[in-house]
Amino acid sequence: MSAPPNPLVVALDTSDLDAAVALAEAVSGQVGMVKIGLELFTAAGPSSVSRLAERAPVFLDLKLHDIPTTAGRAARNAGRLGAAMLTVHALGGPEMVRAAVDGAAEGAGEAGITPPEVVAVTVLSSLAEAAGASPASLAFEAVTAGARGAVVSGDDVKVVREALGQDPILVVPGIRPSGARSNDHARVLTPVEAMEAGADRLVVGRPITESTDPAAAAGAILEEIGWR
Ligand code: C5P
């Protein structure tokens, strides 16, 4: 069995591509992926993916959610860019998830590159119940429709892992190293709590990006979970 990949994903939440590139350079030896979210993508566009992919694998967090045809076409465009992972919203439904998975594979095929792993964002338990679905059922549906895994909150990772089994990738944002501020998250998990609950990937933004030494902050998180 191959060793698990470095689980740490750094969210480069900035509108300034040069700042994002500098951050990616600072942490590239320490992290598994860098995440481009809506802020950076809407500021710097598709070329942000190729620039950052030179430094580290890119998690393209576009959270696609539209009719299947539109989401599929957007995923096809995204699939050409060279990202390692792409997000869609599980609430878009299985048909949309399938269209996005197929679109991403098609785009990557056209570019002659490996397709991004498509992971489906579930929603917090409280919101999911209002929408008539649990995070576990949303994640299960998305994986059945071809998604490689799901993005789940700290509150939900354990139950989703139990529902999905070991194979799907579970990505967990809202992680705070012990002692760090929670910022705007209602509930945070420490890196150890998230890994023990079944996370494969930990998304961490400000505790790393706002640190005076981002590489050391990333290294301290890996040390906390005993990853080497
Ligand atoms: O700075 P911080 O660690 O709070 O950054 C969290 C990152 O995770 C942000 O990029 C945000 O978009 C993402 N996130 C998410 N889903 C959530 C909470 C945060 O994708 N439920």
Side-chain angles (χ1 to χ4, degrees):
M1 217 175 86
S2 56
N6 181 324
L8 191 53
V9 180
V10 180
L12 302 175
D13 292 324
T14 166
S15 302
D16 178 345
L17 180 56
D18 289 332
V21 169
L23 265 166
E25 259 163 20
V27 299
S28 63
Q30 293 281 6
V31 304
M33 285 188 190
V34 293
K35 184 168 88 71
I36 298 177
L38 291 175
E39 180 184 354
L40 183 56
F41 197 78
T42 50
S47 66
S48 61
V49 179
S50 54
R51 271 195 71 191
L52 286 161
E54 290 166 15
R55 275 86 185 174
V58 170
F59 181 143
L60 187 53
D61 188 17
L62 297 183
K63 297 187 172 78
L64 300 177
H65 189 177
D66 210 310
I67 59 171
T69 302
T70 303
R73 288 178 181 170
R76 180 176 165 191
N77 291 340
R80 293 193 190 102
L81 302 178
M85 201 173 262
L86 171 70
T87 53
V88 299
H89 260 291
L91 275 174
E95 204 191 324
M96 187 210 77
V97 171
R98 166 68 59 199
V101 170
D102 291 348
E106 208 178 311
E110 287 159 5
I113 55 179
T114 308
E117 294 182 316
V118 175
V119 292
V121 176
T122 62
V123 291
L124 294 169
S125 308
S126 46
L127 295 175
E129 275 152 26
S134 71
S137 63
L138 282 171
F140 185 82
E141 257 183 20
V143 167
T144 305
R148 183 66 189 87
V151 181
V152 296
S153 78
D155 276 334
D156 300 325
V157 58
K158 193 162 187 292
V159 68
V160 174
R161 174 58 79 202
E162 279 163 9
L164 263 53
Q166 285 311 305
D167 187 50
I169 297 171
L170 294 188
V171 180
V172 182
I175 302 295
R176 288 293 176 269
S178 27
R181 285 183 314 171
S182 65
N183 299 112
D184 44 3
H185 295 290
R187 166 141 162 68
V188 298
L189 293 190
T190 66
V192 170
E193 285 169 337
M195 295 301 286
E196 283 178 358
D200 299 295
R201 305 270 183 177
L202 310 176
V203 177
V204 183
R206 289 161 288 182
I208 294 174
T209 59
E210 292 180 357
S211 161
T212 49
D213 187 346
I221 291 171
L222 291 173
E223 185 129 332
E224 217 175 303
I225 58 170
W227 192 88
R228 57 196 80 248

